[in-house]
Structure formats: structure tokens, C-alpha cells
Amino acid sequence: MFRTAFLILSGNAAASLVLLVRNLAVARMISVEDYGIAATFALVVSLLEMASALGLQQQIVQSKEGDDPDFQAALQGFQLMRGLMSGLTLFLLAGPVADFMNVPEVAWAYRAVALVPVLNAFQHFDIHRLNRDMVFGPMLLTRLAPAVVSLLLVWPLVIWFGDYRVMLGCILVGAALGVATSHLTAQRPWRARFDRRVITGSLRFGWPLLVNNALLFAVFNGDRVLVGRELGMETLAIFSMGMTLTLTPTLVLAKSVQNFFLPQLSRLWSATDSTAERFGHMSRVALEVPFLAAAGLVVGIHLFGGPVVYILLGEKYLALLEYLKWFGVMQAIRVAKTGPSLVALSTGHTSNAMFANGIRMLAIPFVWYVAANSGNLLTIIKISAFGELAGYGLALFLMKRTVGVELRALIPSHLAIAVLFCSVLVLPAADVGFPPLHAWLILLGLLAVSAFTMRDLLRYLRGRD
């Protein structure tokens, strides 16, 4: 089991690390303003994916019909339909999107980005179906291969174009190669069919996820949209780079936790010989793992963030150092929020994340007000962090109410990590060098204390399930 967990984490980490290196290379080789424009391409792709995703990949893992070839073909048919619709929508809206972002000259590039959801519509779902049997290699390869190739393309594209078009080329080639890899690693032939029963069931399963994805776009990218629109492309580049450096490990951890725990929790929930105590124990483990990872993320960003930014990005991104610790706390809470949503999803309750992100979205109007009036980027990040905290609290409450997992055992770890986060926030901001020795001792000591307060996780690691 630990070997599987390591495979998932290392595979997701490798793919995300390669993409991070690609983004850093692009940022280093083009102007700050061009990188701001390039960042909007990823923003638009996220908008399309989040606005049309219905959790089909999770459904093939969670559903009892997941191994049925006809059910898989129906999901692939539905995926094809939604991908074509998403691509057409972006193509038609490319002009207004470019005008809204105050970059009308790149409308043609947004039309080119419309190819991404069309390509993704042909992804083979075998890479997700195999997760039911704890086989993750094809899925991880489908993520890693496109990332490596897109990284290798950066230098030739910089020589050829030298501006934001570098990122556009990387995104398009990566999408095409991802689809190709999913077919090359599949066990079954790809089929697509349109089944009204499956489409209706997918809509019923996925509508909360669809709403959640729309909210996630506001959560992930709403701040970026407002910063770019109100404060300009250079400020957007600083903000986007802060999000990229801190969000990359966040997504790795969240994706790895879901890949590893969703099949196990779903099996326990539906098994006739399972008990509430066993499911509750595994649920608390699935809550503690991302929470501990979140604490490690905050500590790592504070201890290593300054030198990493200086070495990888140079002096033109040093303004980012002022905001790093708040970025870290914000993203850490987002990692922790993965746990309750995952536990609820394993039981078929798909609305947990939707409501949690709905609370987070309430911070967007305040962000817009600050961006339009004071332009204080640090205040914007603080507002977003407190929005994430409110969303996490609601996610825990909804999970307990719908699933009934007992949460009292989590109180000591939550208190310990709250002290850790507060300590990070009162310590001086990151510098180009490493923090002083007392900062290392305080943060690593608090991290160790937090780990030892997680009783269910320690029991799981000792093999006492």
C-alpha cells in the first residue's frame, strides 16, 4: 500500500514539477508583461474545464458499473459531447474574453486555445477505470509525458517566437500528446456511445460538481482575472507566479490524496462486511494526511521560498517575496479542504465541495473592491486566505452531517497546526537567503508536534487498521 502511495505521489509530483519548470523557464525567457498574457491562456483553459466537468473520471471509479465496457463507452460519449461544446463556446467568446482582459490583440490566441477541450474530449477513460484496481501507471504517464515534451519545446519556441506564443504552443502540444498517451496505455478499444440513462445519471451525480467547478474557477482564477484587469499585466505576472509556485504542490497533494483514498473509501462504504468504525477511521486518515501535508507546505514555503524565487526567477520577481507566506497559508488551507470533500464524494455526496467553495467565492467582491480602489496585493491575498478558511470549516461541518464521521479526535491536530500557521505569519517575510536558525527550530518542532497529534494516521502507519 505504501508503495502505491509513493507511486501516486511521485508520479503526480514529477508531472507537476516538470510543468512548474516549464512555466519558470518561460517566465525567465520572456518579458514580465508577456508572461502575464501567457498566464491568461492557462486561466481560460481552467475556465473551460471547470465550467463543463461533471466528475466523469471520478464517477467511473466510484460507480458500481465502472468496469462495464458499455458504461465506460457512454461516459466517453458524454465526455466527447461536452468537450466539443466547450471548444465551440470559447471560439465564439474569444473576442469578448480578450476585450475583458484588456488584450484585444490576442483574441486569435484564445481561439487557438479552443482546441484544448476538443482534444481532451477524446481522452480514453481506461486510465481512470484502472484506478479501481489501484493501477495508476497509465494515468500518471498520461500526465507526465505531455509535461516533459512541452518543457523540451520551450527553448525552440523561444527562439521562434520569443513572446507569449511560447506558452500557447506548449499548451496545445501538451493537450494533443496527453490524449495520445491515454490511448497508447489503454487496455480496451476506445468507444463512444450516447446513452440517455447514463447521461441522466451523470448529470445527477455531476451537477453539484459542475456548480463546484464554476465556483472553483472563481476560487482559483477569479482573483487573477481581477488583478489582471485592474492592476495590469505586470502585477498579474507577479501574482500568477506566486500562485504557480504555491499552487503546484497544492494540486499534487490534493490529486494524490484523492487518487489514493477514493478507491479505498468507496470500497469500504459499499462493502457488506464493512463497519462504521472502519470507515470512520479511514475517513479521519484521509482528513489528516492532507492536513499534515498542508502544514508541511507552509513550512517548506517559508524556509525555502526566498532562495527558490531568487535562484529560479532572478531579480525581476523579487517583489513576490513579500507575499509568499500568505500565499502558502492560503494554499495550505486549500489542501486541507480536499479531505472532507473526498470523504463525502466516496459516499456519493458530491455537493460538499460546491458549498465550501461557494463560501470561498463570497470573498471575490471584496477582492474586486480592494483591487479597484487601493490596489493592495497583500490585502487581496489575505482576503482570499480567510475565504479558504471559512470554506474549510463549512466542508468539515457538511461532511460530519452527511456522512457522520466523528471529528473529536481531530481537535488536537487542528490546534497544533493553527499554532504553526500563526507562527509562520508572525515571523519576518521571506528573503533571498534562508531564515535564521530559530525559525527552523520553531517551525520544524511545531510540524513534528502536529504529526504526533494525528492518532488515526499514526495507527494507520503502524498497520493497525
Side-chain angles (χ1 to χ4, degrees), residues 65-115:
E65 299 181 80
D67 281 320
D68 183 359
D70 289 335
F71 181 74
Q72 179 178 340
L75 290 180
Q76 289 170 170
F78 195 16
Q79 167 86 348
L80 178 62
M81 182 174 66
R82 79 168 188 85
L84 295 175
M85 291 176 61
S86 296
L88 178 61
T89 300
L90 176 56
F91 186 85
L92 295 176
L93 294 178
V97 169
D99 290 338
F100 180 81
M101 296 301 297
N102 295 319
V103 284
E105 69 276 10
V106 301
W108 69 270
Y110 292 131
R111 294 189 182 96
V113 171
L115 287 171

Side-chain angles (χ1 to χ4, degrees), residues 113-135:
V113 171
L115 287 171
V116 173
V118 175
L119 291 168
N120 290 339
F122 291 91
Q123 185 186 83
H124 203 303
F125 273 32
D126 252 17
I127 61 173
H128 307 296
R129 178 184 62 83
L130 293 171
N131 292 1
R132 296 170 61 89
D133 300 318
M134 304 298 283
V135 176

Side-chain angles (χ1 to χ4, degrees), residues 59-71:
Q59 189 179 357
I60 200 171
V61 176
Q62 194 271 339
S63 174
K64 294 180 180 179
E65 299 181 80
D67 281 320
D68 183 359
D70 289 335
F71 181 74

Side-chain angles (χ1 to χ4, degrees), residues 336-401:
K337 202 165 61 177
T338 303
S341 298
L342 170 62
V343 173
L345 178 64
S346 71
T347 67
H349 290 91
T350 56
S351 60
N352 183 292
M354 177 184 71
F355 289 115
N357 286 314
I359 290 293
R360 166 62 176 88
M361 196 181 70
L362 295 178
I364 297 295
F366 297 99
V367 168
W368 198 341
Y369 177 82
V370 172
N373 290 276
S374 71
N376 190 314
L377 199 56
L378 183 58
T379 302
I380 289 172
I381 300 168
K382 289 179 179 179
I383 292 171
S384 301
F386 283 111
E388 291 289 350
L389 182 60
Y392 176 66
L394 180 61
L396 278 178
F397 170 77
L398 292 174
M399 183 208 68
K400 179 171 174 55
R401 192 181 70 174

Side-chain angles (χ1 to χ4, degrees), residues 416-437:
I417 291 180
V419 172
L420 170 60
F421 283 9
C422 291
S423 300
V424 166
L425 294 178
V426 299
L427 288 170
D431 198 352
V432 294
F434 291 107
L437 178 61

Side-chain angles (χ1 to χ4, degrees), residues 9-25:
L9 181 60
S10 60
N12 284 326
S16 295
L17 179 61
V18 172
L19 287 176
L20 175 61
V21 172
R22 182 201 70 184
N23 292 341
L24 294 174

